[in-house]
Amino acid sequence: MQYTTLGNTGLVVSRLAFGAMTFTAGDRSIGAVYKTDAEAAAALVGKALDAGINFFDTADAYASGQSERILGEALRSRRDEVVIATKVGFRTGMPLTQAGLSRRHILWSVDQSLKRLGTDWIDVYLVHKEDPYTPLEETLSALDEVVRSGKARYIGFSNWSAWKVAAALEIQKAAGFARFTHGQMHYSLLGRDVERDVVPMMQRYGLGMTVWSPLAAGFLSGKYTRDNLGDPDNRYSGFDILPFDKEHGFRLVERMRTIADAHGASVAQVAISWLLAKDAVTSVLLGASKLHQLEDNLGAAELALTEGEIAALDAETVPAPVYPNWFIDNLADQPVAQLLGKGR
């Protein structure tokens, strides 16, 4: 297993992490995702620990909090050895107060997560999404209190826009609040949007990045075909939330299969290895629901793609330019760019 520090902190985390979104004690509200019971979860966590993973991720909204409870129980005997991340922001109950990033909801939610996880502290507490109704200063003040109270050691964000993170970091710096350490964002060969603005912002502020859905909800495992994509038993039949061109995806998988065969690896390992090769990526979340899936994904830690293979995959999946990025890139001062070695 490979290890690194999380963003600009001294917290050491494994470069492959384990995501517990599939854990459930009976909640089947998203049946295509919530399908791993406590016994299977314990086996997956044990396999992850044996492989050297020390970084585990969940959220209060996963399976009505059941994911937190099951993960906490599975890690109880190893609590001092692991890093646990959980999140706040999505709706967790019918009352209007049980959602968002208000001071009330954050301070209530962190206590509920601590109870479900069965721990005295959360290593990394993330805001799960943006809240358009709560002042940013209120959210950041509440997160600072969570850290100062000792209920969480570090804070981060997930699924936030680059401008809002930058604004938050400046407020945190000016007010002396606890600062974001990293962002948990979607990033894959079929979803490279973060490269436009999020990654440059993170690099400017020294933030780390953990990646969710590195296999594009399993599409980049190579198990799907044009014929079986709509089968009721697979994830895409009930949880198709990632906006990418499926036909392009199938062509990409065939290109990846050629690379995988050259290494005696799997398509999924190629997808994860490509991410691990990116400087912006701290850790990649593995969301396997079966042991054989996890065992295969873990093999990505041993796979080193060549520079040529990475470049080929990059070229195959270049994100479409958006404004003002295309204006900035196309109308840079060319003589200066050439002098700086960027015009070749």
Side-chain angles (χ1 to χ4, degrees):
M1 182 57 60
Q2 306 166 24
Y3 299 88
T4 189
T5 51
L6 184 63
N8 53 13
T9 77
L11 183 65
V12 177
V13 296
S14 49
R15 296 210 65 210
L16 294 179
F18 185 87
M21 186 178 181
T22 66
F23 293 1
T24 182
D27 183 332
R28 303 289 179 182
S29 56
I30 308 179
V33 178
Y34 303 155
K35 53 188 177 182
T36 305
D37 62 22
E39 182 178 357
L44 288 166
V45 169
K47 172 63 70 173
L49 288 166
D50 290 345
I53 287 178
N54 77 336
F55 195 7
F56 294 83
D57 178 88
T58 182
D60 60 358
Y62 296 164
S64 305
Q66 294 168 12
S67 171
E68 286 184 321
R69 189 171 291 111
I70 292 173
L71 180 64
E73 181 60 36
L75 290 173
R76 188 145 298 145
S77 65
R78 307 283 291 272
R79 179 64 187 96
D80 292 343
E81 305 171 32
V82 298
V83 174
I84 296 177
T86 193
K87 312 180 197 73
V88 59
F90 275 95
R91 180 163 296 283
T92 54
M94 288 305 296
L96 294 177
T97 54
Q98 292 185 15
L101 300 175
S102 68
R103 181 180 184 82
R104 184 191 192 280
H105 188 236
I106 288 174
L107 296 183
W108 178 81
S109 295
V110 71
D111 287 338
Q112 302 308 306
S113 288
L114 286 167
K115 290 176 185 177
R116 286 190 291 265
L117 287 165
T119 184
D120 295 327
W121 80 95
I122 294 162
D123 295 286
V124 185
Y125 198 47
L126 300 103
V127 282
H128 206 164
K129 67 183 186 71
E130 294 186 7
D131 179 354
Y133 306 109
T134 300
L136 185 54
E137 291 81 359
E138 178 180 336
T139 296
L140 301 177
S141 174
L143 291 173
D144 180 65
E145 184 170 334
V146 168
V147 173
R148 292 182 186 279
S149 68
K151 294 177 181 179
R153 302 297 191 246
Y154 304 92
I155 55 173
F157 60 90
S158 184
N159 308 308
W160 276 33
S161 53
W163 78 264
K164 180 158 279 191
V165 176
L169 288 164
E170 295 298 337
I171 293 170
Q172 289 169 333
K173 180 179 179 180
F177 290 161
R179 301 177 67 182
F180 286 147
T181 60
H182 79 291
Q184 185 181 122
M185 304 294 286
H186 172 54
Y187 191 16
S188 77
L189 276 163
L190 287 172
R192 294 173 57 184
D193 297 332
V194 292
E195 293 178 4
R196 295 190 180 103
D197 295 303
V198 174
V199 167
M201 176 275 298
M202 287 179 160
Q203 292 174 332
R204 164 66 179 82
Y205 287 102
L207 298 174
M209 184 199 297
T210 55
V211 174
W212 64 264
S213 204
L215 300 182
F219 194 98
L220 293 176
S221 68
K223 68 180 180 180
Y224 294 115
T225 67
R226 294 171 179 83
D227 295 326
N228 71 17
L229 191 62
D231 288 354
D233 293 333
N234 70 48
R235 178 173 289 197
Y236 274 89
S237 65
F239 199 65
D240 187 0
I241 67 168
L242 301 178
F244 64 87
D245 182 339
K246 302 297 193 300
E247 189 56 38
H248 172 239
F250 286 122
R251 293 195 299 270
L252 172 64
V253 167
E254 288 310 307
R255 178 74 181 89
M256 295 169 67
R257 203 179 301 280
T258 300
I259 294 173
D261 289 346
H263 289 272
S266 68
V267 173
Q269 288 170 357
V270 170
I272 296 167
S273 180
W274 177 84
L275 281 167
L276 291 174
K278 297 299 180 182
D279 291 339
V281 173
T282 303
S283 189
V284 176
L285 290 168
L286 307 181
S289 59
K290 298 180 177 64
L291 271 176
H292 72 86
Q293 294 171 336
L294 179 58
E295 289 168 348
D296 179 75
N297 290 176
L298 288 168
E302 306 300 323
L303 173 61
L305 299 177
T306 68
E307 290 185 7
E309 289 166 339
I310 293 171
L313 292 172
D314 285 347
E316 193 89 23
T317 58
V318 177
V322 296
Y323 176 82
N325 303 64
W326 61 257
F327 186 94
I328 295 167
D329 292 340
N330 290 341
L331 296 176
D333 189 325
Q334 291 304 315
V336 172
Q338 291 168 5
L339 285 170
L340 294 175
K342 300 177 180 178
R344 293 189 291 273

